[in-house]
Every structure is written in structure tokens, then in C-alpha cells.
Amino acid sequence: MTDFNDLPAHVWPRNAVRQEDGVVTIAGVPLPEIAEEYGTPVFVVDEDDFRSRCQDMARAFGGPENVHYASKAFLTRTIARWVDEEGLSLDVASLNELKIAQAADFPAGRITAHGNNKGADFLRACVQAGVGHVVLDSEQELVLLDCIAAAEQRVQQVMIRVKPGIEAHTHEAIATSHEDQKFGFSLASGSAFRAAEAAVRAPNLELVGLHCHVGSQVFDATGFTMAADRVLALYSRIHRELGVQLPELDLGGGYGIAYTEDEEALDVDEVAHDLLTAVAKTAAELGIDAPTVLVEPGRAIAGPGTVTVYEVGTVKDVTVDEGVTRRYLSVDGGMSDNIRPALYDSRYDARVVSRFTEAPGIPSRLVGSHCESGDILVRDAQFPSDIETGDLMAMAATGAYAYAMSSRYNAFGRPPVIAVRAGKTKLMLRRETVEDILALEA
Amino acid sequence: MTDFNDLPAHVWPRNAVRQEDGVVTIAGVPLPEIAEEYGTPVFVVDEDDFRSRCQDMARAFGGPENVHYASKAFLTRTIARWVDEEGLSLDVASLNELKIAQAADFPAGRITAHGNNKGADFLRACVQAGVGHVVLDSEQELVLLDCIAAAEQRVQQVMIRVKPGIEAHTHEAIATSHEDQKFGFSLASGSAFRAAEAAVRAPNLELVGLHCHVGSQVFDATGFTMAADRVLALYSRIHRELGVQLPELDLGGGYGIAYTEDEEALDVDEVAHDLLTAVAKTAAELGIDAPTVLVEPGRAIAGPGTVTVYEVGTVKDVTVDEGVTRRYLSVDGGMSDNIRPALYDSRYDARVVSRFTEAPGIPSRLVGSHCESGDILVRDAQFPSDIETGDLMAMAATGAYAYAMSSRYNAFGRPPVIAVRAGKTKLMLRRETVEDILALEA
């Protein structure tokens, strides 16, 4: 039975605490104070939570440089600096993500460039910046990058993205011949080997490893190890036929987090242990050196440490079929600041953070303020019946893919993002205003 | 059998033409010239198409002021000016949408304010601006608006949003007791009548009508007339019990457009005729004056006249199950500039616009450049097999809910929006740059 005053530790930021007066603080800063100063909605990022998850990953995977933070989850200059300070590497998937990293003086050698359609501008910028790795996604790109590197008189280290025919989601992993997606070269058809061969022969490319990605919101090592097994067989063939030992193996992202009380986060240490053990064992069986395993968590680092604070507006009881009532709680944000519930049917944990709630739960729905009936943040909840207009509610685990995918639907300005640490707040991103929107007008 | 060089007139802008050299022009402007000058991706808006659809709606519904353009579909200062010049009314659903309308000097008396959670700031701004109508969505809001109007010494004209228990989508309309949504007051439970009574008695509100909305992508009048019948019964009761004849009836939006060749757009004249005839008949039967019918098209005005022009990048043949091949064509935009395929499984018509294509169609998928396998623009297409890197492809009917819901996912800047008319281009919105993104950093 849910106690609405709890803050489940596996879902909420590590430094989230409900005080004796019922107010929730993060890193010692009361959320109502942040709402008062910066308005609502507002994203609040627990800096130590973010950094501690970088450290957890670094420890589990044998060193911070083996952990590539995936920018797409959430990137700002400040975030890039935190990632740098923690010694992690950084994945970028567009020219602008690279530029933001550069604006933060992120060491280019620890940057890896991704994407199915990078384009000459992006590739040239990568080579000129001296990014550590470019992950090649097509034959065209391989040829183009080799030309660009030649023109820049560089040798660019590259990886090849392969499709291992494994799909992992939550606790299930399946081996499949299904390769119907835009990313990568097929292992099964031999095109991955041919790409590796071409990369090895390309005068201005240096192949250092293969890359694969098995899914998202994965909770155990099975899918990763199944993929590693398949990809390592190609390492063995490359060794045998091309005489090259590839030093690195990038197993991508997908490390799951708990969005709701009934979910459990992936155990990073356990998965890392299982995965590294399996890779070492398979490599030994194949008679090759075990490559260094690289991983690319985004959500697992950025997700859990951030909450979105909303103010409750309209409270409305709606009679649904057969005399059942549902309470609609409207808040002052919605699908513009978090499209995931609408896009992926994602579930979230939301709680009142400005005071204790005392009443029992009733069937409720948390909705946004957009002019669209699908603008739903939490579809089926049992919220306390004493929630009122003016209460502050926070939605947990909104650090990844919420701000990053945010829109200006209904001309809503993006909320500000506030970092908190040791009792202090720091503005990371200011609120967008109508002036920002009008600034694009000719 | 599709001819890929056709531009189906019911899907493409009214002034789209494929020239003898194979290049597609809109309003006489070759799309490759726009791509050359402004880069890709780029939205191109056929101004005369937009205006002509305003005029079609105005003619069908008995006057431009009865037609409320729904800002949420796509709003800029320029669009607000076009809507104003055509004499239409304007719906806004947020404070910022109101501010954009004001920045375009849109006459406040022709503005209607919507939303399930308007908030005191928005309501006060509406009253101060002198907006024509506020559509009330909850009891709380009714009380709040009455207070605000009193403080501002105004009487605010209002409508009441009701849930008629009708759902219409495409060609089906159903009567339902299902009222499980955030908007409006229930007709069935009597709460709509009580709200009307409260509005009539509120000293600073003047009730002028009821509002309802039955769905989206509706293609015939059935759902609208079913809803009108139910709502008019309440007009009759309000007349009988409160002694008030309400002069207006707002039947909302939902007018369907054709996104693909096999779809047919709603016939505006036919639907308007059926709807107005039905309202007149029902009003006569009920012994009340027939109210003026207001409608709120957004998509039907803004949608069909705009295309998004992309450049083809990576071309990749992927072996899918059992030896079948699918060609993946990557373009330089994606789910950031059009979330609808991912969010709603929306289908679109895309064609090469820089030249004729000659080859037969093969199973193809049009994908974006985002670091996400779900970043798909056209899932199942038969595109000509001679499409190559560097070709320009345009996706039609992207004027509504594409730019409006666009994000900066992967730090992509929003594309520019270019208006074309009589052989001339005009920059409506410039491209977003990484500087725009970084401008929010503290």
C-alpha cells in the first residue's frame, strides 16, 4: 500500500528528502523555494546524484573513460562539464551536440560521434576537432570519412556499428534475424565484415572496434552478453582474416531505470560483472585478446536525479463509465516538457512536494495544460484526495528524454533547469519566453 | 498505380507544380532554389493556399468571423496577420499564443481563449486585452474569471465547453457515455447546465454560447450534427429555465485533410451545408432561434499548403526477414521537425522534388537523422529505386502540428519556414542555430 508521503529511493533523486514539515528538499533545497524563485514548471537536477551515477558506472566498467555519456538523453554545457570532471567519455549524435561539447571545452579525444546520416559537415567537424571515435554506419559514410580525413591529413579512429540480431527490452532478450532498422551493418549477411575490411584498408581510418546497441530499458546482462558473443565472433574473424586485433568493444546503452515504485532499477555492478566476465570468457574461447568494453548510458546517469515540479491548477471530478469517478488534476506543463507518456506510454511517479498529504488515494489522472485531450502525464494513478489547486507536485526521474525532446507546443516556453547541490541552487538553463519564440520571426 | 512524378492535388499545396524539367515549384518558386538559399530541412508555405482555405471555410460557414483559426496547429506573427487579413477569428490556448497574436496586432475582439487550465495570468491577460470569448472549462475557472473581470471592471463574454458524449474520427461517429477526458462539463450529468446557470448569474460574465469538440480528422458532418443535436437540447433548456437565448454555438475543429494519395479531404462545402441545415432544423423543432455556428479549423487551413523539403543522405538496403530487402532513405531532419509519425503513426506523402524519377517503386522507408530507431517519417513506402544521396524530397501536408510540436532533440535546430507567393519567397521564421540553444545557458 503506497504511502504518498514516501519518496521511493530507487525512483527519486538520491538527495531527495521529505522534511518534518512535509516539504520535499533535494540536496537540502526545498522545492517550494525553487518554485517560488523560478516559477513552475521547473526541472530540478540533483548534481551529486548525476555525478554519483557517473562514478557508479565508471567503477563497474573499469574506468570512467569506458563510460560514454549519451548526450541525446540531456545535454547542456554544464552537463558536459560534469561529465568531463567525472572523467567519462561523451557520445554526440549531431553537429550541434558536438558544438555544445566544444562550448564546454570537453576534451575531443573522449568524444565519440554517432548517427545514421552524419553528413559531410558533421564528419569534417569531427575530424577537425579530433574526436576520439567516429562510429561508421554505412559504406557511403566510410568512404566519405576516409576522404575527409585525407583532406585534413589525419587518421581517424573509427568503430563499425553492427546489427547483432539481438533485441533486449526490460527482462527479455531475444535472438532474431530481424534487422529491419536504419542503424548499422548486418553481421549475418557479412556486410559488417566487409565494412571492417574496408575500414582496415582505408588509408586514413583506423578501425579500433565494433559497436552494437541491443535496446532500451534493459534490466539484466543477458541481451548484452548475447550480443557480445555474436560480435566477438566477428572480432575473431577479423583477427584471423585481416590480422587485426580490435582493442575495444562498444555495447551501447539501454541500462534501465525505475520510473515507478513497482519497477526496479538495473543493478549496474551486477550487470557489469556478468557482462565483463562473459566477454573475457568468450574472448578466451575464441583465442583473441578480450577487448575493453565501452558502454553508453544516458538515461541511467541523467534520468533518476531530476524531477519536474508543477503547480496544480484545475481539479475536476469526471464521471466515467458506470458511475465511476476519476479526478483530473491539471498542472501547468504537459506534453511540451515531457512527451514520453504520449509518445511511449511511459509511466511516472508523481507526488505532492509542498506538504504532507493525508487522504487516501482515489482514481486520478495527471494532465497537462495543452489544448489536446492526449496531453496526459500520468494516466492511471491513485492520488490522495486532498490534493488542491496550488499544491506543488513533482514528477520523478525526468532527467532523460524529457527536456531533450521538449517542444514549444501551444507556444509554451521551455521550463528552466535548476541544479541543486549542498543547499545551493544554480540556474543551468533559463526559462524560455515569448520573446525567444518571436526572435525567430523575420 | 502511383506515378511518383505526380503531385496529387488533394494532398499537395494548391500551387505546387512539377515543371517540364522535373523540378517542383510552389507558387512559381522552385523548391531546389529554396533549399539552396535556406538549406534543408526547410518548411515551405504556400501563402495563397493558406488564404484560399480561409476563404473556403468563410464562404461555407457564412462569414469569416465564424471561422476560428486554431493557433495550436501553427502560429507565427505572419500567420496571425494572414488570418486577420482574411477576416477570420483566432483561437488561442495559452498566454504565449495570445501574446503572439497581440504582437501581430490581431484584433482582440476576434480572439477566443481556450484551455483546461488557464490560470489567473492568462485569464487576466484575456480580460485586459478584451478578447471576444473565453471558453470556460471548469467551475473554478468560472469563479476566477468572474473575479478578474470584476477587478478589471469589465463584462467578459464567455462560452461553456460541454462534453456531448459524441466521438467522431474519420468517417465514424459514435454516441457514447464516455466522458473520461480533461475538457469540459458533462451534458449528461447536468453539470453543463449548472455551469451555464452560474455563468448567467455571474455579474461580470455574459454567456453567449456553448462549445464542444467531437474529434479530429473527421470527414463528414455526422459527428458534428449528432453533437449539435445534443447541445441544442441544452440551449432549449437554458432558454426555458434561465430565459436566455444563446446566440452562438461553437462546434470546434476536427475537419480532416488528406495526408496520402488514398485519402480524401473533407468536403468543406458539403459538411457545412449538412451541418448548418441540421442545426437550423433542430433549433426550429426545439422552438429556439438557431444560433450562429462557429467552427475552429486549424489543420484544414494550415495543413495542406505546406511541405517539408529534406535532402537525402544515406541510402541503405537492409535485408529484412526471409530475404526481402527494404531500402532505408535517410534525410536530414526527422522526429524533431515532425513527431506525428512517431506519436500518432501518421502517414505522409513524400516525393522527389528536384528532378523526375524514372525507376519503379521498391519497398522503402524514409527515416530521419536522430539517434533513435523509432525516428521514422514514412514507415512503408514504395519509392522509386533511383533515389540517390543529394536528391531533394518533400513531404506534403506538414503545415499543421509539425513545426508547432517540433523539438530540439539531438540539439537539432528548428528548420526555417519560408512563405512563397507569386514567384517570391519570404522568410517567415529563420533557422535555429546552436547559439539559440546555448542562449538559454546561464
Side-chain angles (χ1 to χ4, degrees), chain B residues 331-350:
Chain B
V331 294
D332 49 1
M335 63 195 293
S336 57
D337 60 70
N338 193 347
I339 190 75
R340 296 189 69 257
L343 185 58
Y344 305 120
D345 285 322
S346 304
R347 299 187 309 137
Y348 281 93
D349 188 273

Side-chain angles (χ1 to χ4, degrees), chain B residues 275-311:
Chain B
L275 183 52
L276 298 180
T277 306
V279 167
K281 180 165 171 283
T282 303
E285 285 166 8
L286 291 165
I288 56 172
D289 294 346
T292 301
V293 171
L294 311 180
V295 293
E296 303 180 318
R299 188 195 314 265
I301 290 173
T306 293
V307 305
T308 312
V309 182
Y310 300 103
E311 184 177 311

